[in-house]
Structures are given as structure tokens and as C-alpha cells.
Amino acid sequence: MLDTESLTTDALCRSILKRHRETIAVQKPDFAVRKLNVIITAALKISNRKGFHAMSLRDLAEESGVSMGGLYAYFDSKTTLLRMILGEVSSVVEQVLSDPPPEVAGDPLNHLKWLIATHVRLTEAMLPWFSFAFIEAKNFPPLERRMAVDSEERTEQYFAEVINSGIKNGCFDPDTSPLIAALVKPLLQDWYVKRAKYRRRKVTVEAYIEAVVRLITSACLGSGVVPHRVV
Amino acid sequence: MLDTESLTTDALCRSILKRHRETIAVQKPDFAVRKLNVIITAALKISNRKGFHAMSLRDLAEESGVSMGGLYAYFDSKTTLLRMILGEVSSVVEQVLSDPPPEVAGDPLNHLKWLIATHVRLTEAMLPWFSFAFIEAKNFPPLERRMAVDSEERTEQYFAEVINSGIKNGCFDPDTSPLIAALVKPLLQDWYVKRAKYRRRKVTVEAYIEAVVRLITSACLGSGVVPHRVV
DNA sequence: GTCTAAATCGAGCGAACGCTCGAAAATAGG
DNA sequence: CCTATTTTCGAGCGTTCGCTCGATTTAGAC
């Protein structure tokens, strides 16, 4: 369904360490990963409560149990910490969505369903990371902002491609609105942006996937009756 | 269609003045409204570029041309300025959406279409205000956060009510997913949250409304064929 | 033109910010 | 157990923050 082994905080921190080896002063990987885990978990916790900008490094030091100066063995500026998290999120999204299982690869309808389900499950497994990325991407340096916009655009591309190939295949309505691919994204984002609301209403992951799949596929399958194709 | 006269920055500032008369030290309404306009326009401009928290009052003083101390004749704290803007936004939403024209009031399908179109046009007319409200509502004090959540919940209610009455009326599919009302919101928000993207792609307001209306109404009208109702 | 009340100003306050650095503690090989 | 290296620490640096307040300018009635 979705390999959640590589999505544990530990695995993600190992990946972050690999990506930022030169800016992380700590040598021994065991030390580094363990502390990175603690630091990033704390950073996500505080940021998701009051925002990254409002989180001071003293807040972070207290919550993580790592001293002020100790933090700077793991990043050289607060912005680098931001970049570590955002970078990891867009890397994972790319990695997961670009690799559909063989049984859906040739079938646009099932591929579309798979994209939706996998995206929702991925964001569920990495909830604090995605909340963070969504909320913080807006108000930050041009470079980081671009990273987020590009990552999102790439995600939309996956949907656009599968919908287009479905139209060419003949299994999707050729009149499908070209905006559908763009409109899938906010539907998927709502799951983690407003997670508290859905939790309160006891909406399960499966129910949410089902609702989005029905909404989107029915738009792609046309008016519901057998299409006037087959020229 | 949508009365945009009461949505000019001037009219909105007049409303803000009325709501915060006791915290605004300036007596003469003309003076107050004119400066409020300047201050809030500047605040929206800076905040939408780099975030409300990152906007210093010195930034605001420079951009608006009002001195440091002068600003404090219009609000008693930076948080109050935030509250003024958020409060005005949710007030306007409430005001506009709660007042459907008589010709759609009894007709769920047209009422639903009207809600979608009016919401998109409203957010288009007050773009900087809605961008601000969406981005900033997340990372701020409990009270302000609640304000935003409640306002959003109320908006969703309008959709839930019209869909339910449509189901009871027999003009909507009784199998319509109970999540549809919740899913309309992110679709409407995308218009102003990702406004830059749609501008770049030359998507017009009308085209966007059309796409969302088609997506949602087709979900409410059931499988497309004549429903198996009429017991 | 004069006077009074309203409106505006900006230097300055204490607090909190991101970040540094020399000292202290922990780790591991011989 | 000693020593060399790595990791951790937290007081302190310069800067900027939200905010205040006495001085100054402006507006309008007579």
C-alpha cells in the first residue's frame, strides 16, 4: 500500500543528515541522527503550534533538551533548519508519487485513484512535516518559497499527466475540465491542513480518500452515461 | 451579482472604525478613516509579502508614511491590528453569504451555484484581505485562531444546509457524500491562496467558478442519469 | 491672527532575538 | 586510567523588536 518504514522520523533524519553532511558539525552518524531526531521533532511541535518564525531558538533548546550552542552543531542558521525540513518533505513526495506499482501504471483510472490514496496516506504518515511545509512555505525567503511552489507544481504534474493519458486512452471524458488537475491539490491538502477538523468529526483516512476519489473520478469519467465516443 | 461598493478599502475601514471606536484614539472620523486606509493597505502589502509576524512596526511606519507613535493612535498593540483585519474579513463573509437573492433562495441547485460564484467573486474583490486571513490565522493567539476557525465553519454550514435541503427536496442525489460540504471550502480557498498560479495560467474568475460549479454540482446531482428516486 | 484641542512625531526604553565562543563534559583507543 | 578527540554547554554579543511619552505640528472656531 504505502511503505511507511522509510517514513519514520529516524529514517527521515538519516536522509537529512546525508543531504546536509557538510553543514552538520557532528561526526558520528549515530550521535547526529539521534539528536537530529530530537531537534526536528521539537521544531515541528513548536512550529505547528505557533509558527516557525515565532519559535525562538531558546524555545527550541528547551523543548529539545539541547543547549543553545549545541543546536548550532546541527545547523548554521535558523533558515537552514527550515530548509532541512522543507527539503525532506518535497524529496519524499517526489520519491513516493513518482513510483506507482506496476499494476496501476498502464491504467489511468486506477493510477489516478492510487495517486489520491497514496498522497493522503503519505501526508497522514508525515502529518507534522506536511503541516509545517504548508504553513511556513508562504512567508519565507525567496529560495525556500520557490522550493515549495516547485514541489507543488510537480505534484500537480503527476495528476495532469495521468488525466491526459486517460483522455487519450479513451477512458476519460475528453471534455474533462483542464482545471481538474489543479483542483485535486487543495482537496488533498485539506486533509492535513484541517486535520483537527476531520479528527473532531471522526472522518477516517479511508472515508476521506473515498470521497475525494469519487469526486474527482466522476469528473473525469464524464456525465456518467456511456460517452459519445467510439467514432 | 455582487455589490462591490461596500467592499472598497474605504468602506471596509469605515466598518473597522465603527467596530474599534474605543481603541482608536483619533476622534474625527474623516481623519481616522483616511489614515486607517493607508495603514491597513500598507499592512496587507507587507504581510502578504513576508508575513505579519515578520513585518515590524518600523516597516509599517515607513511603508504607510505614518510615524511609529502615530500608528498607536489607531491600535493599542500589533495583535489588535491583526484582529481588526481578521474581524473585518469574517464579518464581510458572513454578511455577503447570508443574504442570497430571492430568485435563488428556494432553489437548492441555483443557491449552491450562487454560493460558489459569490464566494469566489468576493475573495477576488478582497484578495489581499483573504490571503492575509488565510496565511496568518494559523500561527496566532488562541482567540484569533478560533475566530478564523469559527468563521470557516460557518461558511461550510451554508454549503451543508443548501446541500441537505436539496437532498430533501429531491433535486440532489441522496447518496451525495456528507463530506462534499467540507470539500467545497478548499476549492474556494485555492482561488486566493494560489492566486499567482492562476494568474500566470490566465485562468479567469469565470472559468474558475465554472470549473468548481461543475465539479460540485455533478457530485450532488448523482450519477448523471435520472436518479432512481420517485418511489 | 490667536488660542485650544486634536493629531502626529521620533528618540529612547527594556526585553527578546539569532548567533558565537571559550570552557566543560563525554567518548573511545591504547 | 590516561589522553586526544568529539560533543555539549550557556553566558554574553550586537541587533532589532513592540511600545511609550513628552515635545511638536496641525486644524478649526472666533
Side-chain angles (χ1 to χ4, degrees), chain A residues 138, chain B residues 44 48 89 123 126-137 191-195:
Chain A
K138 320 253 154 234
Chain B
L44 290 174
N48 284 330
V89 170
T123 57
M126 287 176 60
L127 186 62
W129 299 72
F130 279 89
S131 300
F132 179 93
F134 185 85
I135 295 175
E136 304 304 339
W191 179 249
Y192 56 91
V193 173
K194 319 239 179 78
R195 188 66 181 87

Side-chain angles (χ1 to χ4, degrees), chain A:
Chain A
M1 195 186 291
L2 172 71
D3 172 34
T4 53
E5 259 181 51
S6 61
L7 303 182
T8 61
T9 313
D10 229 69
L12 296 170
C13 288
R14 211 156 18 235
S15 166
I16 288 177
L17 175 61
K18 208 170 289 175
R19 201 192 311 280
H20 292 85
R21 225 186 262 285
E22 68 276 16
T23 68
I24 296 180
V26 175
Q27 302 296 326
K28 301 171 190 174
D30 291 356
F31 277 64
V33 170
R34 201 179 316 131
K35 277 265 163 103
L36 257 184
N37 191 324
V38 167
I39 292 171
I40 287 186
T41 300
L44 290 174
K45 182 175 174 183
I46 304 173
S47 293
N48 284 330
R49 186 161 11 95
K50 57 172 175 172
F52 183 77
H53 202 102
M55 171 189 77
S56 76
L57 291 175
R58 286 165 183 83
D59 290 340
L60 182 55
E62 186 174 8
E63 175 75 32
S64 66
V66 178
S67 72
M68 195 84 264
L71 292 175
Y72 277 79
Y74 294 89
F75 48 79
D76 52 16
S77 81
K78 201 185 170 192
T79 304
T80 298
L81 174 60
L82 175 75
R83 211 182 344 252
M84 283 176 172
I85 301 177
L86 293 184
E88 189 56 24
V89 169
S90 46
S91 157
V92 168
V93 171
E94 182 75 20
Q95 200 176 303
V96 169
L97 292 190
S98 70
D99 187 34
E103 63 265 32
V104 308
D107 175 358
L109 180 58
N110 277 325
H111 193 170
L112 179 58
K113 289 179 179 177
W114 177 85
L115 277 175
I116 293 170
T118 303
H119 194 288
V120 174
R121 293 205 179 95
L122 171 60
T123 58
E124 176 71 4
M126 285 176 63
L127 186 61
W129 299 71
F130 279 89
S131 301
F132 179 91
F134 185 85
I135 295 176
E136 304 305 337
K138 320 253 154 234
N139 5 346
F140 264 97
L143 189 75
E144 285 71 24
R145 196 175 188 138
R146 264 239 72 94
M147 254 172 64
V149 172
D150 288 351
S151 169
E152 176 159 334
E153 205 107 0
R154 233 174 298 119
T155 303
E156 187 184 323
Q157 265 313 102
Y158 289 120
F159 285 93
E161 279 164 17
V162 77
I163 289 174
N164 280 333
S165 83
I167 292 175
K168 283 200 187 103
N169 247 17
C171 59
F172 285 164
D173 185 350
D175 284 342
T176 302
S177 166
L179 278 171
I180 291 294
L183 294 182
V184 178
K185 243 299 171 144
L187 292 176
L188 298 176
Q189 282 173 339
D190 215 49
W191 179 250
Y192 56 93
V193 173
K194 319 244 178 77
R195 189 65 182 85
K197 183 176 85 177
Y198 293 114
R199 194 175 294 117
R200 196 173 345 112
R201 298 188 190 174
K202 302 190 194 308
V203 176
T204 65
V205 187
E206 298 312 317
Y208 192 82
I209 292 174
E210 157 84 11
V212 176
V213 164
R214 266 179 62 183
L215 186 59
I216 295 301
T217 55
S218 81
C220 294
L221 289 173
S223 48
V225 261
V226 182
H228 48 75
R229 222 171 304 104
V230 195
V231 189

Side-chain angles (χ1 to χ4, degrees), chain B residues 141-154:
Chain B
L143 189 75
E144 285 70 26
R145 197 176 187 138
R146 263 247 66 95
M147 255 172 62
V149 172
D150 288 350
S151 169
E152 176 159 334
E153 205 108 359
R154 235 174 298 120

